Amino acid sequence: MSRRTGSADLPLHGGRVPAWLGRRMTRLGAVLCEAIVLEYGRAELLRRLAHPFWFQAFGAVMGMDWHSSGITTSVVGALKRGLAPLSGELGLHVCGGRGRHSRATPDELLAVGARTGLDGAALARTSRLVAKVDSAAVQDGFDLYLHGFIVADDGQWVVIQQGMHGGRGQARRYHWLSEGLESFVDAPHAAIDGPGQGRIVNLADRRAAASRASQVALLREMAPVQLVREFGQLERAAGAAPARAARAAPVSMVPGTTGDLFAPDGHDVAPLQPHLSLPGHHDVRSGDVVLRRLHGALAAAAECGPRDFTELLQVPGVGARTVRALALVAEVVHGTPCRFSDPARFSLAHGGKDRHPYPVPTKVFDHTIEVMRTAVTRAKLGNDDRLAAIRRLDAQSRALEATAGGPSLAAFLAQERAASHAYGGRSVFGWEPPADNAGASRAG
């Protein structure tokens, strides 16, 4: 069976990604995918995209709001733009997106099939069925508005969907992975991300098999008029005796507050683990970051920077601040699943578009992209010395975590904000002024 990899609570945010950030997200997202494919293979990239913790960290390291539902839309969009020119080389094709783009997914998959020899019609049916399961078989109150389908030339795929609950201001993200998928109706999800909404009817649970069979039998044996009459009787009975009606209904909504998924027979579905709960506050707080991991990255950057990067990589403009960002980028490329339980930490690489944790340091961001692009280009030509240096930086970060000390998160953020103007700090509010004028400028 496919793997259930976790769950997350996502605040629902609106707005658009500014063009200056969107372009950088496209370039960094594409080159990180290239690096992962070079280091670990195409199947591993699909596994990571199906992992909700990694996916959130991936978006955060690219300057998006670290806790927001908007990461889903922006990352899928960035990958669609960034990987399109590389589809022939990497054998990866990104289809779908938000709104009207999601509805175009089947046609895009047919086009992929025509180019690659894959069965595009079968992929299109899969796309529709996946969407139908998460919109109808899992009745959790969220309306799907995003559907991203990433397929490889060997037919393996990952689907990332997201639904919204406008009344609650919350979003839920669903991850699907074709690897190990045996059935679309027996626990097919790789993961479901989202806030608890009480007990949920989940017809995709394996223990709902009897209920699914009963529903098919009802449709086969009863005329539509009879079904409507029976449903009306159940509704009236529910008003007079809710408990009795729940027992009588073929598919029952079992009220509760645990937020777990429930099969229609009322039995608990095992809670998804691990669980990532993303808070509503925009600012990054000490409780959102595993500080020892941050200190390990800072220490590794300080020790490896001059020796392993300025001299080895010889990319103009690369200094200590870029190396600190690269330490977190290296973890996105090389880190294991347990490393991504605190996605807020990855926003410390390139900040956030809304000034949390600090404005995006565009100069640092551009240097990061250039370092990664140079490393990947050289590796394609058979010289992986620069990718190896990035790999060593990640290894050193982990090795130093147990012993490294460092600043408090508040002190670290204060330092970044003070230097923001020098780093080309930018947010949706504009360019960051010099520190002496920052308060007056924002007040004006």
Side-chain angles (χ1 to χ4, degrees):
M1 301 303 298
S2 58
R3 295 171 295 117
R4 292 180 179 269
T5 54
S7 59
D9 295 347
L10 306 171
L12 181 63
H13 290 164
R16 292 182 177 273
V17 179
W20 57 266
L21 178 59
R23 290 191 295 270
R24 288 176 170 88
M25 290 185 68
T26 296
R27 294 173 63 201
L28 183 59
V31 76
L32 291 183
C33 288
E34 285 187 274
I36 292 168
V37 170
L38 281 170
E39 295 274 21
Y40 300 106
R42 198 167 52 193
E44 177 60 21
L45 175 60
L46 295 181
R47 293 184 197 106
R48 295 190 187 194
L49 290 168
H51 194 294
F53 292 76
W54 185 89
F55 189 95
Q56 200 76 14
F58 185 48
V61 87
M62 291 195 286
M64 261 305 290
D65 304 332
W66 64 275
H67 66 147
S68 169
S69 62
I71 274 184
T72 312
T73 304
S74 60
V75 169
V76 170
L79 293 184
K80 188 170 186 178
R81 295 188 301 270
L83 296 183
L86 302 169
S87 61
E89 177 183 344
L90 296 181
L92 289 168
H93 313 271
V94 184
C95 302
R98 179 174 180 167
R100 62 183 177 86
H101 298 290
S102 69
R103 296 187 289 275
T105 308
D107 290 337
E108 293 179 5
L109 289 170
L110 287 172
V112 169
R115 292 196 306 269
T116 64
L118 292 172
D119 189 341
L123 291 172
R125 288 193 297 273
T126 296
S127 170
R128 294 188 183 97
L129 185 53
V130 167
K132 185 63 68 175
V133 169
D134 283 338
S135 62
V138 178
Q139 300 173 22
D140 55 7
F142 288 80
D143 296 323
L144 294 183
Y145 67 95
L146 179 144
H147 178 88
F149 197 115
I150 303 172
V151 61
D153 280 353
D154 61 1
Q156 296 295 304
W157 51 260
V158 63
V159 170
I160 299 152
Q161 302 193 119
Q162 189 153 286
M164 69 168 71
H165 196 307
R168 299 177 182 269
Q170 295 169 331
R172 169 162 288 154
R173 190 168 70 227
Y174 309 84
H175 293 250
W176 291 67
L177 183 64
S178 63
E179 183 179 64
L181 181 62
E182 298 175 5
S183 170
F184 281 100
V185 292
D186 274 330
H189 300 88
I192 298 177
D193 300 5
Q197 301 295 320
R199 296 186 174 183
I200 302 162
V201 169
N202 182 16
L203 293 174
D205 182 73
R206 64 178 61 88
R207 283 167 289 182
S211 179
R212 292 195 299 266
S214 297
Q215 292 174 66
V216 172
L218 283 172
L219 291 172
R220 184 174 58 247
E221 296 169 5
M222 297 180 68
V225 174
Q226 290 177 286
L227 286 173
V228 171
R229 186 184 303 117
E230 290 294 326
F231 184 75
Q233 291 175 353
L234 288 172
E235 278 193 320
R236 289 190 294 274
R244 180 172 55 82
R247 287 193 299 272
V251 181
S252 59
M253 281 282 195
V254 184
T257 57
T258 64
D260 293 336
L261 295 180
F262 277 68
D265 60 4
H267 290 96
D268 279 307
V269 176
L272 300 173
Q273 295 297 330
H275 175 72
L276 174 63
S277 181
L278 296 178
H281 57 259
H282 288 268
D283 54 316
V284 176
R285 303 174 184 176
S286 58
D288 302 321
V289 173
V290 178
L291 204 57
R292 62 178 174 78
R293 293 176 180 167
L294 173 62
H295 289 163
L298 296 177
E303 292 190 14
C304 291
R307 172 176 56 82
D308 225 3
F309 282 85
T310 305
E311 295 175 7
L312 175 60
L313 299 184
Q314 297 177 348
V315 175
V318 171
R321 177 59 182 84
T322 301
V323 177
R324 291 204 301 268
L326 283 167
L328 292 167
V329 168
E331 189 172 345
V332 168
V333 175
H334 298 287
T336 54
C338 66
R339 305 282 305 175
F340 302 101
S341 60
D342 56 338
R345 179 166 52 92
F346 295 88
S347 70
L348 303 179
H350 299 123
K353 69 178 180 63
D354 58 356
R355 296 189 80 249
H356 293 294
Y358 42 76
V360 176
T362 57
K363 294 179 181 178
V364 174
F365 206 138
D366 291 341
H367 289 321
T368 299
I369 294 170
E370 186 59 30
V371 168
M372 293 301 302
R373 168 54 52 204
T374 302
V376 166
T377 300
R378 288 172 64 92
K380 289 178 182 178
L381 297 174
N383 187 349
D384 71 344
D385 58 338
R386 301 190 181 188
L387 271 184
I390 293 168
R391 193 185 312 125
R392 289 195 299 273
L393 179 59
D394 175 64
Q396 182 126 355
S397 296
R398 281 178 282 169
L400 290 172
E401 283 179 8
T403 57
S408 67
L409 180 63
F412 177 82
L413 296 182
Q415 178 186 3
E416 284 292 325
R417 289 168 185 150
S420 182
H421 175 73
Y423 295 148
R426 194 174 185 181
S427 69
V428 294
F429 306 106
W431 292 98
E432 197 69 8
D436 292 343
N437 302 327
S441 175
R442 284 193 295 275

